[in-house]
């Protein structure tokens, strides 16, 4: 194995040292070519032991080696392409015991792996080749005895070796013990390799099963997605969806949708048993929803019942953009039961159905939003055109008077100026509403809180409406129960009061209007009541939304923004507004404001 050394190569001069170094490097390259054979490297990888954690089975062998042979160091090594890895390293000094590997320039074991035979060295310092090994100088390796760890097909993976820091004459008994321990180490490696192969076989079978389930799931979901996308009629699309789910997902599928009034309505049913399908179809009141528990972050929560004779069932809540849309249920007929694959597939079906329902409703909402926008633009155009037309007429009349240079009474000029002022104020009010619409939507409403008396603010605003009250024929009664002080924004309070009083005059039909200001320890209240046309119960919630109104646009002007702005402004100060009304009997609007600790923040956009 080793070349003979000659006397001129053992000299101390530089030329001889360079020749020895070059010879060793060449020899190491030859060994690397031997150990990197493809079959050997594949066998080494199959063990799955490289860079694996320490194991007691191997550590027990190295500890036994040190105790039996009375050596300081024993190793179980696996020789890789460019390093030797220590599966066990009893007695190895730091830092090598921590990194558990060394380069091949420190390796004696590479010679065992390359030759396939034991290597026994009594004093490496006198060996013609190994004396130059870095392990001699840096690790103190002097005596070495290593036995190969050989697979059944003859590939040598590494060694079990004993190392001494003093010269040692290894006995036959020492070598016999090492041979037996090496056999035990080889057995442990074969066990790991067998387990690895078994694990790979199990993984392959699991992968095959998973792939087949994925193929079926993909086929169903692709067909389902196509059906939901191609059908414009939502009811027909949902019927196709539940029929496609039977029997691949379960034996039966039922879909219930949540209506605006909070009731569940059965939309689609499919079952392998026609009689059971008809029974499920005839259910007048579907079961309630099972929502997720607190802290459950899953998109859909359901309940699962397993066991005979009832089979399995799973009911999933359909969610879209954070709101409940309905529920979908899957059931099986005994002895069939829902497994993990079927449950996951049921969830995929539910997600797609929820997305289709949500998209359909969102499209409907978008169409309604477009119609609402168009109505608003039409209304806004009309509202802006009316005062502009009046201003135009009055301006033209004034222009004629000045051009004719004829005397004109001050009363005529005053009346025309009054008309112009009122129309300018009306335009300003409309522009303010449009600006507030933009501010609220963009979250730019700001509040300047100060100590105020609500009764005083209401009284000041009421005085400004004297002329409008006179023109409408309504009388105004203001009652207060002492001061109602709190920290609010004066301008925003005046804005709220202006909207409410203007509405009371507009819809009050010339009848009396009453204002009442009260307070308790924590809350200040304002009640604005008219005896006008009133509001139907079905319209009382939507009048606080943008562009909504409970009356015909042809008979009553406005942009449909006033009450929405009032609600948002009050929300920014921690307040609320509510309405109580009956058609033909007038309306009462109640404003409540916290007197202490009002929130200094932009209102939440509804």
């Amino acid at each position: 194995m080793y070349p003979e050394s000659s006397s001129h190569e053992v000299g101390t001069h530089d030329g001889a040292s360079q020749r020895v170094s070059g010879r060793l490097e060449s020899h190491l390259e030859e060994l690397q070519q031997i150990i990197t054979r493809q079959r050997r490297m594949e066998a080494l990888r199959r063990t799955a032991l490289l860079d694996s954690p320490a194991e007691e089975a191997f550590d027990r062998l190295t500890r036994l080696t040190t105790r039996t042979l009375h050596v300081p160091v024993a190793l179980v090594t696996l020789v890789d392409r460019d390093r030797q890895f220590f599966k066990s390293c009893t007695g190895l000094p730091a830092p090598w015991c921590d990194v558990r590997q060394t380069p091949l320039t420190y390796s004696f074991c590479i010679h065992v792996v390359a030759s396939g035979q034991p290597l026994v060295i009594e004093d490496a310092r006198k060996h013609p080749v190994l004396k130059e090994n870095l392990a001699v100088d840096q690790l103190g390796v002097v005596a070495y005895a290593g036995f190969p760890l050989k697979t059944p097909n003859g590939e040598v993976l590494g060694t079990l070796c004993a190392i001494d820091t003093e010269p040692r004459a290894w006995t036959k008994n020492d070598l016999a013990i090492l041979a037996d321990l090496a056999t035990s180490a080889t057995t442990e490696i074969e066990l790991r390799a067998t387990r690895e192969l078994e694990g790979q076989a199990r993984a392959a079978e699991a992968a095959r099963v998973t792939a087949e389930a994925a193929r079926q799931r993909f086929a169903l979901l692709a067909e389902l997605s196509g059906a939901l996308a191609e059908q414009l009629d939502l009811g027909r699309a949902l019927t196709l969806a539940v029929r496609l789910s039977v029997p691949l997902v379960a034996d039966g599928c039922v879909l219930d949708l949540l209506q605006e009034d909070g009731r569940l309505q059965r939309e689609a049913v499919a079952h392998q048993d026609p009689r059971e399908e008809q029974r499920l179809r005839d259910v007048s009141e579907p079961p309630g929803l099972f929502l997720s528990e607190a802290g459950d972050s899953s998109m859909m929560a359901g309940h699962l019942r397993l066991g005979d004779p009832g089979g399995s069932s799973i009911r999933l809540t359909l969610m879209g953009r954070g709101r409940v849309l309905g529920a979908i249920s899957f059931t099986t007929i005994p002895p069939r039961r829902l497994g993990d694959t079927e449950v996951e597939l049921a969830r995929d079906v539910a997600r797609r159905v929820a997305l289709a329902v949500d998209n359909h409703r969102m499209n409907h909402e978008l169409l309604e939003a477009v119609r609402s926008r168009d109505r608003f633009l039409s209304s806004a155009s009309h509202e802006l055109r009316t005062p502009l037309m009046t201003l135009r007429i009055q301006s033209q009349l004034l222009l004629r008077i000045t051009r004719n240079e004829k005397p004109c009474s001050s009363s005529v000029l005053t009346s025309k100026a009054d008309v112009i002022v009122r129309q300018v104020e009306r335009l300003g009010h409309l522009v303010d509403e449009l600006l507030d619409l933009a501010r609220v939507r963009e979250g730019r409403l700001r509040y300047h809180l100060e100590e105020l008396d609500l009764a005083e603010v209401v009284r000041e605003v009421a005085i400004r409406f004297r002329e409008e009250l006179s023109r409408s024929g309504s009388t105004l009664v203001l009652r207060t129960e002492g001061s109602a002080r709190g920290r609010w924004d004066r301008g925003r309070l005046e804005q709220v009061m202006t909207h409410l009083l203007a509405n009371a005059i507009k819809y009050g039909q010339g009848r009396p209007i009453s204002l009442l200001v009260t307070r308790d320890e924590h809350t200040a209240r304002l009640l604005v009541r008219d005896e006008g046309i009133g509001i139907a119960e079905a319209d009382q919630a939507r009048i606080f939304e943008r562009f909504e109104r409970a009356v015909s646009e042809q008979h009553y002007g406005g942009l449909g923004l006033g009450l929405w702005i009032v609600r948002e402004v009050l929300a920014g100060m921690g307040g609320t507004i509510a309405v109580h009304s009956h058609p033909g009997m007038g309306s009462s609007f109640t404003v409540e404001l916290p007197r202490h600790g009002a929130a200094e923040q932009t209102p939440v956009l509804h």
Side-chain angles (χ1 to χ4, degrees), residues 52-71:
S52 60
E55 295 182 50
E56 177 60 24
F58 291 99
D59 288 345
R60 190 182 301 114
L61 290 173
T62 55
R63 288 198 302 269
L64 185 59
T65 301
T66 58
R67 293 169 185 171
T68 306
L69 300 183
H70 304 290
V71 292

Side-chain angles (χ1 to χ4, degrees), residues 52-318:
S52 60
E55 295 182 50
E56 177 60 24
F58 291 99
D59 288 345
R60 190 182 301 114
L61 290 173
T62 55
R63 288 198 302 269
L64 185 59
T65 301
T66 58
R67 293 169 185 171
T68 306
L69 300 183
H70 304 290
V71 292
V73 179
L75 308 172
V76 172
T77 68
L78 297 171
V79 178
D80 200 0
R81 185 182 303 274
D82 55 2
R83 60 171 181 150
Q84 58 180 5
F85 169 72
F86 303 134
K87 181 59 184 174
S88 180
C89 51
T90 298
L92 193 67
W96 309 105
C97 61
D98 299 321
V99 297
R100 296 177 59 208
Q101 66 179 21
T102 65
L104 292 181
T105 50
Y106 289 75
S107 177
F108 284 25
C109 301
I110 188 175
H111 301 282
V112 178
V113 173
S115 66
Q117 300 297 322
L119 175 62
V120 180
I121 305 295
E122 295 184 355
D123 189 345
R125 295 171 299 181
K126 299 179 180 179
H127 195 279
V129 174
L130 295 179
K131 66 181 180 180
E132 301 295 336
N133 192 291
L134 294 179
V136 175
D137 180 49
Q138 297 187 23
L139 297 180
V141 177
V142 176
Y144 172 90
F147 278 71
L149 305 178
K150 190 177 298 186
T151 66
N153 61 1
E155 298 297 337
V156 181
L157 307 178
T159 70
L160 172 69
C161 63
I163 297 173
D164 205 335
T165 56
E166 301 291 338
R168 176 167 182 158
W170 302 94
T171 66
K172 289 184 178 181
N173 188 53
D174 292 339
L175 301 180
I177 292 172
L178 269 177
D180 290 340
L181 293 173
T183 300
S184 297
T186 301
T187 301
E188 290 292 337
I189 291 174
E190 290 174 358
L191 286 174
R192 301 306 187 281
T194 301
R195 291 173 188 168
E196 180 68 15
L197 290 174
E198 291 174 350
Q200 291 175 359
R202 288 193 297 270
E205 177 61 19
R208 186 194 66 77
V209 172
T210 301
E212 177 59 21
R215 186 195 66 76
Q216 293 182 357
R217 182 165 61 249
F218 177 80
L220 169 64
L221 296 178
E223 190 174 2
L224 178 65
S225 298
L228 292 172
E230 294 169 4
Q231 289 293 332
L232 297 178
D233 182 87
L234 180 63
R236 183 174 177 81
L238 296 179
T239 299
L240 285 174
V242 298
R243 293 208 174 277
L244 287 172
S245 301
V246 175
L248 185 57
V249 181
D251 299 316
C253 181
V254 175
L255 178 64
D256 303 320
L257 291 186
L258 192 65
Q259 306 303 304
E260 290 186 0
D261 60 4
R263 295 183 302 104
L264 279 175
Q265 178 176 307
R266 187 135 295 177
E267 291 290 333
V269 178
H271 203 283
Q272 293 203 94
D273 184 345
R275 291 176 298 179
E276 179 66 9
E277 180 173 321
Q278 188 58 47
R279 186 190 70 79
L280 293 171
R281 197 181 300 279
D282 293 339
V283 172
S284 58
E285 295 185 7
L289 300 175
F290 286 77
L291 299 178
S292 58
E293 298 292 336
D296 183 0
S297 61
S298 60
M299 176 183 175
M300 292 169 296
H303 71 285
L304 183 67
R305 185 181 72 245
L306 301 174
D308 297 323
S312 304
S313 70
I314 183 172
R315 183 168 171 81
L316 300 170
T317 303
L318 305 178

